[in-house]
Amino acid sequence: MTVAVVAVAAMLGFSSCDNDDYWNPYPPNGWNNVFYDSDLTGSWMLVEDNFGAVPPSRTNYLYFNGRGRGNYYYYENGNLYNSRIAYWCEDFYGSGSNPEINIQYDNGQASTMSYWFSNNYNYLWMRWSTNQGIITYCYQYVDRIP
């Protein structure tokens, strides 16, 4: 009997819900042709932005798992941190424009950008508009994130 009580108490203790771990974002409203672009799958390192080459201290990384989830890695005070991301792609079939990607970060921020590849899919370009103008990032495919 004592063993059964301890087992039940242990199960209840280990199965408690932690709201910090629950995060289940959805695609943006109005996105109907959502897909996960297999060409995005893997790790990408920021190498260039509007101002030219990005120094190692200011780089960041994106990891796409191919199923709509991944991680964003960034440096702060010399330390590498990460946060979860969710992503969706949408293509504008027949429009002649680049597809868009919506990335939602686990801190509540979100970005929607047009994207394309160059150099045999080794470089990922992302562009979006802000109040300060057009921002363009170039990420290079990497084998791993440090």
Coordinates of all heavy atoms in Angstrom, one line a residue, residues 44-129:
W44 N 21.3 28.4 -40.1 CA 21.7 29.6 -40.9 C 22.4 30.6 -40.0 O 21.9 30.9 -38.9 CB 20.5 30.2 -41.6 CG 19.8 29.2 -42.5 CD1 18.8 28.3 -42.1 CD2 20.0 29.0 -43.8 NE1 18.4 27.6 -43.2 CE2 19.1 28.0 -44.3 CE3 20.9 29.6 -44.8 CZ2 19.1 27.6 -45.6 CZ3 20.8 29.2 -46.1 CH2 20.0 28.2 -46.5
M45 N 23.5 31.2 -40.5 CA 24.2 32.2 -39.7 C 24.1 33.5 -40.5 O 24.4 33.6 -41.7 CB 25.7 31.8 -39.6 CG 26.6 32.8 -38.9 SD 28.3 32.3 -38.7 CE 28.9 32.5 -40.4
L46 N 23.8 34.6 -39.7 CA 23.7 35.9 -40.3 C 25.1 36.4 -40.7 O 26.0 36.4 -39.8 CB 23.1 36.9 -39.3 CG 22.9 38.4 -39.8 CD1 21.9 38.5 -41.0 CD2 22.5 39.3 -38.7
V47 N 25.3 36.7 -42.0 CA 26.6 37.2 -42.4 C 26.6 38.6 -43.0 O 27.7 39.2 -43.1 CB 27.2 36.2 -43.5 CG1 27.5 34.9 -42.8 CG2 26.3 36.1 -44.7
E48 N 25.4 39.1 -43.3 CA 25.4 40.4 -43.9 C 24.0 41.1 -43.6 O 23.0 40.4 -43.6 CB 25.5 40.3 -45.5 CG 25.7 41.6 -46.2 CD 26.0 41.3 -47.7 OE1 26.8 40.5 -48.0 OE2 25.3 42.0 -48.5
D49 N 24.0 42.4 -43.5 CA 22.8 43.2 -43.4 C 22.9 44.4 -44.2 O 23.8 44.6 -45.0 CB 22.4 43.4 -41.9 CG 23.4 44.3 -41.2 OD1 24.3 44.9 -41.8 OD2 23.4 44.4 -39.9
N50 N 22.0 45.4 -44.0 CA 22.0 46.6 -44.8 C 23.4 47.3 -44.7 O 23.7 48.1 -45.6 CB 21.0 47.6 -44.3 CG 19.6 47.1 -44.7 OD1 19.3 46.0 -45.1 ND2 18.6 48.1 -44.7
F51 N 24.1 47.1 -43.7 CA 25.4 47.9 -43.4 C 26.6 47.1 -43.9 O 27.7 47.5 -43.7 CB 25.5 48.3 -42.0 CG 24.3 49.0 -41.5 CD1 23.4 48.4 -40.7 CD2 24.1 50.3 -41.9 CE1 22.3 49.1 -40.2 CE2 23.0 51.0 -41.5 CZ 22.0 50.4 -40.6
G52 N 26.4 45.9 -44.4 CA 27.6 45.1 -44.9 C 27.8 43.9 -44.1 O 26.8 43.4 -43.5
A53 N 29.0 43.4 -44.0 CA 29.4 42.2 -43.3 C 29.0 42.4 -41.8 O 29.3 43.4 -41.2 CB 30.8 41.9 -43.5
V54 N 28.5 41.3 -41.2 CA 28.2 41.3 -39.8 C 29.3 40.7 -39.0 O 29.7 39.6 -39.3 CB 26.9 40.5 -39.5 CG1 26.5 40.4 -38.1 CG2 25.7 41.2 -40.3
P55 N 29.8 41.5 -38.0 CA 30.9 40.9 -37.2 C 30.4 39.8 -36.3 O 29.3 39.7 -36.0 CB 31.4 42.1 -36.3 CG 30.2 43.0 -36.3 CD 29.5 42.8 -37.6
P56 N 31.3 38.9 -35.9 CA 30.9 37.7 -35.1 C 30.2 38.1 -33.8 O 29.3 37.4 -33.4 CB 32.3 37.0 -34.8 CG 33.2 37.4 -35.9 CD 32.8 38.8 -36.3
S57 N 30.5 39.2 -33.2 CA 29.9 39.6 -32.0 C 28.4 40.0 -32.2 O 27.7 40.1 -31.2 CB 30.6 40.7 -31.3 OG 30.6 41.9 -32.2
R58 N 28.1 40.3 -33.4 CA 26.7 40.8 -33.7 C 25.9 39.8 -34.6 O 24.8 40.1 -35.0 CB 26.8 42.1 -34.4 CG 25.6 43.0 -34.2 CD 25.8 44.4 -34.7 NE 26.2 44.6 -36.0 CZ 25.4 44.5 -37.1 NH1 24.1 44.2 -37.0 NH2 25.9 44.7 -38.3
T59 N 26.5 38.6 -34.8 CA 25.8 37.7 -35.7 C 24.6 37.0 -34.9 O 24.6 37.1 -33.6 CB 26.7 36.6 -36.3 OG1 26.0 35.9 -37.3 CG2 27.2 35.6 -35.2
N60 N 23.7 36.3 -35.6 CA 22.7 35.5 -34.9 C 22.5 34.3 -35.8 O 23.1 34.3 -36.9 CB 21.4 36.3 -34.6 CG 20.8 36.8 -35.9 OD1 20.4 36.0 -36.8 ND2 20.6 38.1 -36.0
Y61 N 21.8 33.4 -35.4 CA 21.5 32.1 -36.1 C 20.1 31.8 -36.1 O 19.4 32.1 -35.1 CB 22.3 30.9 -35.4 CG 23.8 31.2 -35.4 CD1 24.4 31.8 -34.3 CD2 24.6 30.6 -36.3 CE1 25.7 32.0 -34.2 CE2 26.0 30.8 -36.3 CZ 26.5 31.5 -35.2 OH 27.9 31.7 -35.1
L62 N 19.6 31.1 -37.1 CA 18.3 30.6 -37.2 C 18.4 29.1 -37.5 O 19.2 28.7 -38.3 CB 17.5 31.2 -38.3 CG 17.1 32.7 -38.1 CD1 16.5 33.2 -39.5 CD2 16.0 32.7 -37.1
Y63 N 17.6 28.3 -36.8 CA 17.5 26.9 -37.0 C 16.1 26.5 -37.3 O 15.2 26.8 -36.5 CB 18.0 26.1 -35.8 CG 17.7 24.6 -36.0 CD1 18.3 23.8 -36.9 CD2 16.6 24.0 -35.3 CE1 18.0 22.5 -37.1 CE2 16.3 22.7 -35.4 CZ 16.9 21.9 -36.3 OH 16.6 20.6 -36.6
F64 N 15.8 26.0 -38.5 CA 14.5 25.5 -38.9 C 14.5 24.0 -38.9 O 15.3 23.4 -39.6 CB 14.2 26.1 -40.3 CG 14.2 27.6 -40.4 CD1 15.2 28.2 -41.1 CD2 13.1 28.3 -39.9 CE1 15.2 29.6 -41.2 CE2 13.1 29.7 -40.0 CZ 14.2 30.3 -40.7
N65 N 13.5 23.4 -38.3 CA 13.5 21.9 -38.2 C 12.7 21.3 -39.3 O 12.6 20.1 -39.4 CB 12.9 21.5 -36.8 CG 11.4 21.7 -36.7 OD1 10.7 22.2 -37.6 ND2 10.9 21.2 -35.6
G66 N 12.1 22.0 -40.2 CA 11.4 21.5 -41.4 C 9.9 21.2 -41.1 O 9.2 20.9 -42.0
R67 N 9.5 21.4 -39.8 CA 8.1 21.1 -39.5 C 7.5 22.3 -38.7 O 6.6 22.1 -37.9 CB 8.1 19.9 -38.6 CG 8.5 18.6 -39.3 CD 8.6 17.4 -38.4 NE 9.2 17.6 -37.1 CZ 10.5 17.6 -36.8 NH1 11.3 17.4 -37.8 NH2 11.0 17.8 -35.6
G68 N 8.0 23.5 -39.0 CA 7.4 24.7 -38.5 C 7.9 25.2 -37.1 O 7.3 26.1 -36.5
R69 N 8.9 24.6 -36.6 CA 9.5 25.0 -35.3 C 11.0 25.1 -35.5 O 11.6 24.6 -36.4 CB 9.2 24.0 -34.2 CG 7.7 23.9 -33.9 CD 7.1 25.2 -33.4 NE 5.7 25.1 -32.9 CZ 4.7 25.4 -33.7 NH1 4.8 25.8 -34.9 NH2 3.5 25.3 -33.2
G70 N 11.6 25.7 -34.5 CA 13.1 25.9 -34.6 C 13.6 26.7 -33.4 O 12.9 26.8 -32.4
N71 N 14.7 27.4 -33.6 CA 15.3 28.2 -32.6 C 16.0 29.4 -33.2 O 16.5 29.3 -34.4 CB 16.4 27.4 -31.8 CG 15.7 26.4 -30.9 OD1 15.5 25.3 -31.3 ND2 15.5 26.8 -29.7
Y72 N 16.0 30.5 -32.5 CA 16.8 31.7 -32.8 C 17.9 31.8 -31.8 O 17.6 31.8 -30.6 CB 15.8 32.9 -32.8 CG 16.5 34.2 -32.9 CD1 17.1 34.6 -34.0 CD2 16.5 35.1 -31.8 CE1 17.8 35.9 -34.1 CE2 17.1 36.4 -31.9 CZ 17.7 36.7 -33.0 OH 18.3 37.9 -33.1
Y73 N 19.1 31.9 -32.2 CA 20.3 32.1 -31.4 C 20.9 33.4 -31.6 O 21.0 33.9 -32.7 CB 21.3 31.0 -31.7 CG 20.9 29.6 -31.5 CD1 20.2 28.9 -32.5 CD2 21.1 28.9 -30.4 CE1 19.7 27.6 -32.4 CE2 20.7 27.6 -30.2 CZ 20.0 27.0 -31.2 OH 19.6 25.7 -31.0
Y74 N 21.3 34.1 -30.4 CA 21.8 35.4 -30.5 C 22.8 35.6 -29.4 O 22.8 35.0 -28.4 CB 20.7 36.5 -30.4 CG 19.9 36.3 -29.1 CD1 20.2 37.1 -28.0 CD2 18.8 35.4 -29.0 CE1 19.4 37.0 -26.8 CE2 18.1 35.3 -27.9 CZ 18.4 36.0 -26.8 OH 17.7 35.9 -25.6
Y75 N 23.7 36.6 -29.6 CA 24.7 36.9 -28.6 C 24.3 38.1 -27.8 O 23.7 39.1 -28.3 CB 26.1 37.2 -29.3 CG 26.8 36.0 -29.8 CD1 26.8 35.6 -31.1 CD2 27.5 35.2 -28.9 CE1 27.4 34.5 -31.6 CE2 28.2 34.1 -29.3 CZ 28.1 33.7 -30.7 OH 28.8 32.6 -31.1
E76 N 24.5 38.0 -26.5 CA 24.3 39.1 -25.6 C 25.4 39.1 -24.6 O 25.6 38.1 -23.9 CB 22.9 39.0 -24.9 CG 22.5 40.2 -24.2 CD 21.1 40.1 -23.7 OE1 20.2 40.0 -24.6 OE2 20.9 40.0 -22.5
N77 N 26.2 40.2 -24.5 CA 27.3 40.3 -23.6 C 28.3 39.1 -23.8 O 28.8 38.6 -22.8 CB 26.8 40.4 -22.1 CG 26.0 41.6 -21.9 OD1 26.3 42.7 -22.4 ND2 25.0 41.5 -21.0
G78 N 28.5 38.7 -25.0 CA 29.4 37.7 -25.3 C 28.9 36.2 -25.1 O 29.6 35.3 -25.4
N79 N 27.7 36.1 -24.6 CA 27.1 34.8 -24.3 C 26.1 34.5 -25.4 O 25.3 35.4 -25.8 CB 26.5 34.7 -23.0 CG 27.5 34.9 -21.9 OD1 28.5 34.2 -21.9 ND2 27.2 35.8 -20.9
L80 N 26.0 33.2 -25.8 CA 25.0 32.8 -26.8 C 23.8 32.3 -26.1 O 23.8 31.4 -25.3 CB 25.6 31.7 -27.7 CG 24.8 31.2 -28.9 CD1 24.7 32.4 -29.9 CD2 25.5 30.0 -29.6
Y81 N 22.6 32.9 -26.5 CA 21.3 32.5 -25.9 C 20.4 32.0 -27.1 O 20.7 32.3 -28.2 CB 20.7 33.7 -25.3 CG 21.4 34.2 -24.1 CD1 22.3 35.3 -24.2 CD2 21.2 33.7 -22.8 CE1 23.0 35.7 -23.1 CE2 21.9 34.2 -21.7 CZ 22.8 35.2 -21.9 OH 23.5 35.6 -20.8
N82 N 19.4 31.4 -26.7 CA 18.4 30.9 -27.8 C 17.0 31.1 -27.3 O 16.7 31.2 -26.1 CB 18.7 29.5 -28.2 CG 18.3 28.5 -27.3 OD1 17.9 28.7 -26.1 ND2 18.5 27.2 -27.7
S83 N 16.1 31.2 -28.2 CA 14.7 31.2 -28.0 C 14.0 30.4 -29.0 O 14.5 30.2 -30.1 CB 14.1 32.6 -27.9 OG 14.3 33.2 -29.1
R84 N 12.8 29.8 -28.7 CA 12.1 29.0 -29.6 C 11.4 29.9 -30.7 O 11.1 31.1 -30.4 CB 11.0 28.3 -28.9 CG 11.5 27.2 -27.9 CD 10.4 26.6 -27.2 NE 9.7 27.6 -26.3 CZ 8.8 27.3 -25.5 NH1 8.3 26.1 -25.4 NH2 8.3 28.3 -24.7
I85 N 11.3 29.4 -31.9 CA 10.5 30.0 -32.9 C 9.5 29.1 -33.6 O 9.7 27.9 -33.5 CB 11.5 30.6 -34.1 CG1 12.2 29.5 -34.8 CG2 12.4 31.7 -33.5 CD1 13.0 30.0 -36.0
A86 N 8.5 29.7 -34.1 CA 7.6 28.9 -35.0 C 7.6 29.7 -36.3 O 7.8 30.9 -36.3 CB 6.2 28.9 -34.4
Y87 N 7.4 28.9 -37.4 CA 7.5 29.6 -38.7 C 6.5 29.0 -39.7 O 6.2 27.8 -39.6 CB 8.9 29.6 -39.3 CG 9.4 28.3 -39.6 CD1 9.3 27.8 -40.9 CD2 10.1 27.4 -38.7 CE1 9.8 26.6 -41.3 CE2 10.5 26.2 -39.0 CZ 10.4 25.7 -40.3 OH 10.9 24.5 -40.7
W88 N 6.1 29.8 -40.6 CA 5.2 29.3 -41.7 C 5.6 30.1 -43.0 O 6.0 31.2 -42.9 CB 3.8 29.6 -41.4 CG 3.3 29.0 -40.2 CD1 2.7 27.7 -40.1 CD2 3.3 29.5 -38.9 NE1 2.4 27.4 -38.8 CE2 2.7 28.5 -38.0 CE3 3.8 30.7 -38.3 CZ2 2.6 28.7 -36.7 CZ3 3.6 30.8 -36.9 CH2 3.1 29.8 -36.1
C89 N 5.5 29.4 -44.1 CA 5.8 30.1 -45.4 C 4.5 30.2 -46.1 O 3.6 29.4 -45.9 CB 6.8 29.3 -46.2 SG 8.4 29.0 -45.3
E90 N 4.4 31.2 -47.0 CA 3.3 31.3 -47.9 C 3.7 31.8 -49.2 O 4.5 32.7 -49.3 CB 2.2 32.3 -47.3 CG 1.0 32.4 -48.2 CD -0.1 33.3 -47.6 OE1 0.2 34.4 -47.1 OE2 -1.2 32.9 -47.6
D91 N 3.3 31.1 -50.2 CA 3.7 31.4 -51.6 C 2.5 32.1 -52.3 O 1.3 31.8 -52.0 CB 4.0 30.1 -52.3 CG 4.9 30.3 -53.5 OD1 5.2 31.5 -53.8 OD2 5.4 29.4 -54.1
F92 N 2.8 33.0 -53.1 CA 1.8 33.8 -53.9 C 1.9 33.2 -55.3 O 2.5 33.8 -56.2 CB 2.1 35.2 -53.8 CG 2.2 35.8 -52.4 CD1 3.4 36.0 -51.8 CD2 1.0 35.9 -51.7 CE1 3.4 36.5 -50.5 CE2 1.0 36.4 -50.4 CZ 2.3 36.7 -49.8
Y93 N 1.3 32.1 -55.5 CA 1.3 31.3 -56.7 C 1.0 32.2 -57.9 O -0.1 32.9 -57.9 CB 0.4 30.1 -56.7 CG 0.7 29.2 -55.5 CD1 0.0 29.2 -54.4 CD2 1.8 28.3 -55.6 CE1 0.3 28.3 -53.3 CE2 2.2 27.5 -54.6 CZ 1.4 27.5 -53.4 OH 1.8 26.7 -52.4
G94 N 1.9 32.2 -58.9 CA 1.6 32.9 -60.1 C 1.9 34.4 -60.0 O 1.7 35.1 -61.0
S95 N 2.2 34.9 -58.9 CA 2.4 36.4 -58.7 C 3.7 36.9 -59.2 O 3.9 38.0 -59.4 CB 2.1 36.8 -57.3 OG 3.2 36.4 -56.5
G96 N 4.7 35.9 -59.3 CA 6.1 36.3 -59.6 C 6.9 36.9 -58.5 O 8.0 37.3 -58.7
S97 N 6.3 37.0 -57.3 CA 7.0 37.6 -56.2 C 7.6 36.4 -55.3 O 7.2 35.3 -55.5 CB 6.2 38.5 -55.4 OG 5.1 37.8 -54.8
N98 N 8.5 36.8 -54.5 CA 9.1 35.8 -53.6 C 8.1 35.3 -52.5 O 7.2 36.1 -52.2 CB 10.3 36.4 -52.9 CG 11.4 36.7 -53.8 OD1 11.7 35.9 -54.7 ND2 12.1 37.9 -53.7
P99 N 8.2 34.1 -52.0 CA 7.4 33.7 -50.9 C 7.7 34.5 -49.7 O 8.7 35.2 -49.6 CB 7.7 32.2 -50.8 CG 9.1 32.0 -51.4 CD 9.2 33.1 -52.4
E100 N 6.8 34.4 -48.7 CA 7.0 35.1 -47.4 C 7.2 34.1 -46.3 O 6.6 32.9 -46.4 CB 5.9 36.0 -47.1 CG 5.8 37.3 -48.0 CD 4.8 38.3 -47.5 OE1 3.9 37.9 -46.8 OE2 5.0 39.5 -47.8
I101 N 7.9 34.5 -45.3 CA 8.0 33.6 -44.1 C 7.5 34.5 -42.9 O 7.8 35.7 -42.9 CB 9.4 33.1 -43.9 CG1 9.5 32.2 -42.7 CG2 10.4 34.2 -43.8 CD1 10.8 31.4 -42.6
N102 N 6.8 33.9 -42.0 CA 6.4 34.5 -40.8 C 7.1 33.8 -39.7 O 6.9 32.5 -39.6 CB 4.9 34.5 -40.6 CG 4.5 35.1 -39.3 OD1 4.4 34.4 -38.3 ND2 4.2 36.4 -39.3
I103 N 7.9 34.5 -38.9 CA 8.6 33.9 -37.8 C 8.0 34.5 -36.5 O 7.9 35.7 -36.3 CB 10.1 34.1 -37.8 CG1 10.7 33.5 -39.1 CG2 10.8 33.6 -36.6 CD1 12.1 33.8 -39.3
Q104 N 7.5 33.6 -35.6 CA 7.0 34.0 -34.3 C 8.0 33.5 -33.2 O 8.3 32.3 -33.2 CB 5.6 33.5 -34.1 CG 4.6 34.1 -35.1 CD 3.2 33.6 -34.8 OE1 2.9 33.1 -33.8 NE2 2.4 33.8 -35.9
Y105 N 8.4 34.4 -32.4 CA 9.3 34.1 -31.3 C 8.6 33.9 -30.0 O 7.5 34.4 -29.8 CB 10.3 35.3 -31.1 CG 11.1 35.6 -32.4 CD1 10.5 36.5 -33.4 CD2 12.3 35.1 -32.6 CE1 11.2 36.8 -34.5 CE2 13.0 35.4 -33.8 CZ 12.4 36.2 -34.7 OH 13.1 36.5 -35.9
D106 N 9.2 33.1 -29.1 CA 8.4 32.7 -27.9 C 8.3 33.9 -26.9 O 7.6 33.8 -26.0 CB 9.1 31.5 -27.2 CG 10.5 31.7 -26.7 OD1 11.0 32.8 -26.9 OD2 11.0 30.7 -26.2
N107 N 8.9 35.0 -27.2 CA 8.7 36.2 -26.4 C 7.6 37.1 -26.9 O 7.3 38.1 -26.3 CB 10.0 37.1 -26.3 CG 10.4 37.7 -27.7 OD1 9.6 37.6 -28.7 ND2 11.5 38.4 -27.7
G108 N 6.9 36.6 -27.9 CA 5.7 37.3 -28.4 C 5.9 38.1 -29.7 O 5.0 38.6 -30.3
Q109 N 7.2 38.4 -30.0 CA 7.5 39.1 -31.3 C 7.2 38.3 -32.5 O 7.3 37.1 -32.4 CB 8.9 39.7 -31.2 CG 9.2 40.7 -30.2 CD 10.6 41.2 -30.2 OE1 11.5 40.6 -30.8 NE2 10.8 42.3 -29.6
A110 N 7.0 38.9 -33.6 CA 6.8 38.2 -34.9 C 7.3 39.1 -36.0 O 7.3 40.3 -35.9 CB 5.3 37.9 -35.1
S111 N 7.7 38.5 -37.1 CA 8.2 39.2 -38.3 C 7.7 38.4 -39.5 O 7.7 37.2 -39.5 CB 9.8 39.2 -38.3 OG 10.3 39.9 -37.2
T112 N 7.3 39.2 -40.5 CA 7.0 38.6 -41.8 C 7.9 39.2 -42.8 O 8.1 40.4 -42.9 CB 5.5 38.9 -42.2 OG1 4.7 38.3 -41.2 CG2 5.2 38.4 -43.5
M113 N 8.6 38.4 -43.6 CA 9.6 38.8 -44.5 C 9.5 38.0 -45.8 O 9.1 36.9 -45.8 CB 11.0 38.5 -44.0 CG 11.3 39.2 -42.7 SD 12.5 38.2 -41.7 CE 11.4 37.0 -40.9
S114 N 9.8 38.7 -47.0 CA 10.0 37.9 -48.2 C 11.3 37.3 -48.1 O 12.2 37.8 -47.5 CB 9.8 38.8 -49.4 OG 10.8 39.8 -49.5
Y115 N 11.5 36.1 -48.8 CA 12.8 35.4 -48.7 C 13.1 34.8 -50.1 O 12.2 34.5 -50.9 CB 12.8 34.4 -47.6 CG 12.0 33.2 -47.8 CD1 12.6 32.0 -48.3 CD2 10.7 33.1 -47.5 CE1 11.9 30.9 -48.5 CE2 9.9 32.0 -47.7 CZ 10.5 30.9 -48.2 OH 9.8 29.7 -48.4
W116 N 14.4 34.6 -50.3 CA 14.8 33.9 -51.5 C 16.2 33.3 -51.2 O 16.8 33.6 -50.2 CB 14.8 34.8 -52.7 CG 15.8 35.9 -52.7 CD1 17.1 36.0 -53.2 CD2 15.6 37.2 -52.0 NE1 17.6 37.2 -52.9 CE2 16.7 37.9 -52.2 CE3 14.5 37.7 -51.3 CZ2 16.9 39.2 -51.7 CZ3 14.7 39.0 -50.8 CH2 15.8 39.8 -51.0
F117 N 16.7 32.4 -52.1 CA 18.0 31.8 -51.9 C 18.9 32.2 -53.1 O 18.5 32.6 -54.2 CB 17.8 30.3 -52.0 CG 17.0 29.8 -50.9 CD1 15.6 29.5 -51.1 CD2 17.5 29.5 -49.6 CE1 14.8 29.1 -50.1 CE2 16.7 29.0 -48.6 CZ 15.3 28.8 -48.8
S118 N 20.2 32.1 -52.8 CA 21.2 32.3 -53.9 C 22.4 31.4 -53.7 O 22.4 30.7 -52.6 CB 21.7 33.8 -53.9 OG 22.5 34.1 -52.7
N119 N 23.3 31.3 -54.7 CA 24.5 30.5 -54.6 C 24.1 29.1 -54.3 O 24.7 28.5 -53.3 CB 25.5 31.1 -53.6 CG 26.9 30.5 -53.8 OD1 27.2 30.0 -54.9 ND2 27.7 30.6 -52.8
N120 N 23.3 28.5 -55.1 CA 22.9 27.1 -55.0 C 22.3 26.7 -53.6 O 22.7 25.7 -53.0 CB 24.1 26.2 -55.3 CG 23.7 24.8 -55.7 OD1 22.6 24.6 -56.2 ND2 24.6 23.8 -55.5
Y121 N 21.5 27.6 -53.1 CA 20.8 27.4 -51.8 C 21.7 27.5 -50.6 O 21.4 27.0 -49.5 CB 19.9 26.2 -51.8 CG 18.8 26.2 -52.7 CD1 18.9 25.9 -54.1 CD2 17.5 26.7 -52.3 CE1 17.8 26.0 -54.9 CE2 16.4 26.8 -53.2 CZ 16.6 26.4 -54.5 OH 15.6 26.5 -55.3
N122 N 22.9 28.1 -50.7 CA 23.8 28.3 -49.6 C 23.6 29.6 -48.9 O 24.1 29.8 -47.8 CB 25.2 28.2 -50.1 CG 25.6 26.8 -50.4 OD1 25.4 25.9 -49.6 ND2 26.1 26.5 -51.6
Y123 N 22.8 30.5 -49.5 CA 22.5 31.8 -48.9 C 21.0 32.0 -48.9 O 20.4 31.8 -49.9 CB 23.2 32.9 -49.6 CG 24.7 32.9 -49.4 CD1 25.5 32.2 -50.3 CD2 25.3 33.5 -48.3 CE1 26.9 32.2 -50.2 CE2 26.7 33.4 -48.1 CZ 27.5 32.8 -49.0 OH 28.8 32.7 -48.9
L124 N 20.6 32.5 -47.7 CA 19.1 32.8 -47.5 C 19.0 34.3 -47.3 O 19.7 34.8 -46.4 CB 18.6 32.0 -46.3 CG 17.3 32.5 -45.7 CD1 16.2 32.2 -46.7 CD2 17.0 31.7 -44.4
W125 N 18.3 34.9 -48.2 CA 18.0 36.4 -48.1 C 16.7 36.6 -47.5 O 15.7 36.0 -47.9 CB 18.2 37.0 -49.5 CG 19.5 36.9 -50.0 CD1 20.1 35.8 -50.7 CD2 20.6 37.9 -50.0 NE1 21.4 36.1 -51.1 CE2 21.7 37.3 -50.6 CE3 20.7 39.1 -49.4 CZ2 22.9 38.0 -50.8 CZ3 21.9 39.8 -49.5 CH2 22.9 39.3 -50.2
M126 N 16.5 37.6 -46.6 CA 15.2 38.0 -46.1 C 15.1 39.5 -46.1 O 16.1 40.2 -45.8 CB 15.1 37.5 -44.6 CG 15.2 36.0 -44.4 SD 15.1 35.6 -42.7 CE 14.6 34.0 -42.7
R127 N 13.9 40.0 -46.5 CA 13.7 41.4 -46.7 C 12.3 41.7 -46.1 O 11.4 41.1 -46.4 CB 13.8 41.8 -48.1 CG 13.6 43.3 -48.3 CD 13.8 43.7 -49.7 NE 15.3 43.7 -50.0 CZ 15.8 43.5 -51.2 NH1 15.0 43.4 -52.3 NH2 17.1 43.5 -51.4
W128 N 12.3 42.8 -45.4 CA 11.0 43.3 -44.9 C 11.1 44.8 -44.7 O 12.2 45.4 -44.7 CB 10.6 42.6 -43.6 CG 11.4 42.9 -42.4 CD1 11.1 43.7 -41.3 CD2 12.7 42.3 -42.1 NE1 12.1 43.7 -40.4 CE2 13.1 42.8 -40.8 CE3 13.5 41.4 -42.7 CZ2 14.3 42.4 -40.2 CZ3 14.7 41.0 -42.1 CH2 15.1 41.5 -40.9
S129 N 9.9 45.5 -44.6 CA 9.8 46.9 -44.5 C 9.5 47.3 -43.0 O 8.7 46.6 -42.4 CB 8.7 47.5 -45.4 OG 9.1 47.3 -46.7

